[in-house]
Amino acid sequence: MHLTLIKPNIGRREHSLYVDEGRMEPLPLGILAALTPPDVEVVLYDDRMEPIPYDKPTDLVAITVETFTARRAYEISAAYRDRGVKVVMGGMHAKLIPGEVQQHCDCVIIGDAEPVWAQMIADCKAGRLQPCYKATQPLCPQEGIIARRDIFEGKGYLPISLLQFSRGCSHKCEFCASSVYFGAHHFCRPVDEVLREIASQKRKLLFFVDDNIVCNRAKAKELFRALIPLKLHWVSQGSMDMLQDKELMELMVASGCLGLVIGFESISPQNIANMHKLTNTRAASDMYAREIEELRQWGLQTWAAFTVGHDEDTVESIRATCDFAIRNKFTFAAFNILMPYPNTPLYARLQAENRLLYDGCWWLHEEYRFNYCSIVPKNMTPDELTEISFDCRRRFNSVGSIIKRAMEPRTNMRTPYRFMTYLLYNPLFRKEVFKKQGLHFGLDDEAQRGT
Ligand code: SF4
């Protein structure tokens, strides 16, 4: 049996293949490859940088679907199904809105694939593939499974190995799709399994793609203690409240953490309260002053993630958020427009308030473009929100800002290695900001005709 794994792109720029130069290994597909019995031949195609050979014979195609890639994923699925090939879909979007995904494939997997993947493959082999496999939430995600990284070779991914210690998060921020997916639960792998996975690959730079690696502090400490002797560098995602635990921070730094993506979301305490971001309540009350100073003292390089378009935001307050990010010399920052992911509390609220644009289905809408506003904001027009968020990205990633932010001796200039990382990745992300802005989801018509 031949299994083809596909990572869809967001779309194409004009009539050419858009190549994502900041692409990282698609870890979920490495996990699916590892879950697949050894007698099945597995191949990966990554739509972010290579054409998909639709006519190459295969018995089954598996496509991972995120909300941003749904439109493109459905196009790829249709191209295979037209050729009589069965398609299975799963991923975040399939759990958020399974009814929609089911219309575009032969089989949908709802939830984590681990408990059902082997059965699905066996059923497919026997010619009795079911339309739906629903995974009950495993208590230990990825149990006993080490991702297969051989399928990533030669694809030009950034030289950083992705893996997971935990999945989910116990918080319930109003906009968070991950919180809905995991039912506001947090699941950890046994530390010795994580160590086995680290030993299975050669890189010394790791990205734990956890939703919130410090969600369970006791377990996170156990992991960090075990990482210390390995002398690695790693990055991950974590919530602001980690700074309240000194021992956690000491262990994190000692274990080789370079920095974390931290959801600042907003500099307005009222926005933070409205979105139920309880991890930030104290910090937001004084513009994160104490927390930013502590992050510097720990020597952590921060990727500050902001969401813009909340009800208290104005064009001026969003501009001030960008000034705040530049002034504090964050290593990276994201200014994401508040997006109503399907089935989230935010989606339900905005729908009830009649504030959803694009028929409430921006991810499939013909006219929607990447980084466009898809809601009716309270204090500005949708176009103003689109423009000011792009302006924030443009200003934060300007050459002048990159030079200014580099001059932070405790973080970005702490060591030659840190400085080099800063100088390598900032220009790369700057390029992606301009390339991705306004990208059409899926193929444009002309490109479609050429498929
Ligand atoms: S803290 Fe982060 S991961 Fe957790 S629910 Fe909030 S946004 Fe989601």
Side-chain angles (χ1 to χ4, degrees):
M1 179 177 168
H2 290 79
L3 169 67
T4 300
L5 303 174
I6 306 261
K7 166 77 181 168
N9 203 345
I10 297 169
R12 286 185 185 217
R13 167 67 74 192
E14 295 301 317
H15 311 308
S16 61
L17 177 69
Y18 159 75
V19 173
D20 182 347
E21 291 176 63
R23 64 187 177 276
M24 297 195 199
E25 296 168 349
L27 177 66
L29 297 182
I31 295 171
L32 293 187
L35 289 166
T36 305
D39 62 324
V40 177
E41 193 183 308
V42 181
V43 63
L44 162 70
Y45 295 111
D46 193 328
D47 187 43
R48 294 174 296 176
M49 38 61 78
E50 63 188 336
I52 298 171
Y54 292 106
D55 293 320
K56 194 170 171 206
T58 186
D59 299 299
L60 181 67
V61 169
I63 307 176
T64 177
V65 192
E66 292 159 284
T67 306
F68 275 93
T69 60
R71 191 177 156 98
R72 178 71 183 131
Y74 300 157
E75 287 170 355
I76 295 169
S77 177
Y80 275 110
R81 295 175 88 200
D82 282 352
R83 290 161 172 83
V85 179
K86 295 242 183 279
V87 174
V88 54
M89 285 182 163
M92 178 72 80
H93 194 66
K95 171 94 181 248
L96 293 178
I97 187 163
E100 176 194 290
V101 176
Q102 202 153 21
Q103 291 169 30
H104 297 273
C105 60
D106 300 284
C107 165
V108 62
I109 291 185
I110 304 174
D112 290 349
E114 282 92 343
V116 295
W117 188 257
Q119 185 62 53
M120 185 278 294
I121 294 280
D123 288 350
C124 182
K125 269 184 186 168
R128 49 164 194 263
L129 185 68
Q130 303 298 304
C132 177
Y133 294 81
K134 193 166 182 185
T136 49
Q137 196 67 63
L139 289 177
C140 168
Q142 213 184 316
E143 189 158 19
I145 300 295
I146 307 284
R148 256 186 67 186
R149 293 185 166 74
D150 57 298
I151 61 167
F152 302 148
E153 279 166 21
K155 305 269 186 198
Y157 296 123
L158 294 181
I160 178 167
S161 288
L162 272 59
L163 75 166
Q164 279 185 320
F165 166 56
S166 67
R167 289 181 190 168
C169 171
S170 56
H171 300 289
K172 294 182 184 173
C173 302
E174 188 193 33
F175 58 85
C176 184
S178 178
S179 174
V180 172
Y181 182 102
F182 291 103
H185 285 96
H186 181 249
F187 307 92
C188 293
R189 294 169 78 188
V191 168
D192 60 342
E193 257 189 48
V194 178
L195 297 188
R196 264 203 307 129
E197 179 147 8
I198 293 171
S200 75
Q201 56 83 57
K202 295 195 184 76
R203 294 205 187 102
K204 289 282 191 183
L205 179 58
L206 308 176
F207 183 178
F208 289 100
V209 288
D210 298 36
D211 296 294
N212 183 1
I213 197 167
V214 290
C215 191
N216 181 327
R217 293 186 196 166
K219 295 236 164 116
K221 287 177 192 177
E222 201 189 317
L223 173 72
F224 300 161
R225 277 193 197 95
L227 291 180
I228 292 172
L230 304 184
K231 302 200 182 311
L232 302 161
H233 290 307
W234 62 270
V235 295
S236 187
Q237 311 187 107
S239 53
M240 187 79 65
D241 54 342
M242 66 185 176
L243 289 160
Q244 295 159 9
D245 190 326
K246 189 158 177 267
E247 185 190 29
L248 179 78
M249 296 308 297
E250 279 168 356
L251 289 167
M252 181 188 286
V253 171
S255 66
C257 181
L258 298 175
L260 296 165
V261 179
I262 300 176
F264 281 67
E265 314 305 348
S266 176
I267 54 175
S268 151
Q270 192 55 54
N271 276 338
I272 294 293
N274 292 350
M275 70 179 87
H276 314 302
K277 184 102 185 175
L278 303 181
T279 55
N280 291 26
T281 307
R282 202 227 64 77
S285 65
D286 67 350
M287 290 275 274
Y288 305 94
R290 194 165 89 193
E291 285 71 19
I292 291 172
E293 180 53 25
E294 286 178 9
L295 287 167
R296 284 199 196 108
Q297 281 172 10
W298 290 115
L300 293 175
Q301 289 173 288
T302 296
W303 180 316
F306 297 96
T307 41
V308 296
H310 296 281
D311 285 355
E312 297 295 312
D313 282 339
T314 60
V315 168
E316 293 71 32
S317 76
I318 295 173
R319 195 173 289 125
T321 305
C322 182
D323 294 341
F324 167 84
I326 296 172
R327 192 167 65 243
N328 283 297
K329 299 183 177 173
F330 293 129
T331 306
F332 308 107
F335 302 91
N336 299 318
I337 292 181
L338 187 65
M339 295 306 290
Y341 286 92
N343 208 15
T344 56
L346 174 71
Y347 188 98
R349 177 169 67 83
L350 294 178
Q351 188 174 41
E353 294 172 5
N354 206 17
R355 292 171 60 193
L356 296 174
L357 300 176
Y358 300 99
D359 306 326
C361 193
W362 53 271
W363 56 94
L364 293 186
H365 202 281
E366 199 29 37
E367 282 157 30
Y368 184 74
R369 298 286 186 275
F370 187 65
N371 276 335
Y372 278 24
C373 171
S374 69
I375 62 172
V376 180
K378 270 252 165 94
N379 302 313
M380 65 200 101
T381 66
D383 285 349
E384 282 172 331
L385 180 53
T386 298
E387 184 46 43
I388 189 64
S389 71
F390 183 46
D391 186 58
C392 290
R393 277 178 233 119
R394 204 166 27 202
R395 275 205 301 136
F396 184 83
N397 293 290
S398 69
V399 175
S401 161
I402 292 175
I403 294 168
K404 182 177 175 189
R405 289 182 289 108
M407 306 298 159
E408 169 40 61
R410 286 181 290 175
T411 58
N412 298 330
M413 294 184 83
R414 189 176 187 86
T415 62
Y417 181 82
R418 304 288 190 110
F419 192 50
M420 196 187 70
T421 313
Y422 179 93
L423 291 182
L424 269 177
Y425 285 103
N426 264 285
L428 180 67
F429 293 148
R430 171 185 157 77
K431 210 167 156 190
E432 285 300 312
V433 161
F434 290 100
K435 269 168 64 185
K436 275 190 184 147
Q437 181 70 20
L439 190 69
H440 183 266
F441 280 11
L443 293 177
D444 61 38
D445 288 347
E446 194 158 319
Q448 185 120 40
R449 284 195 293 274
T451 301

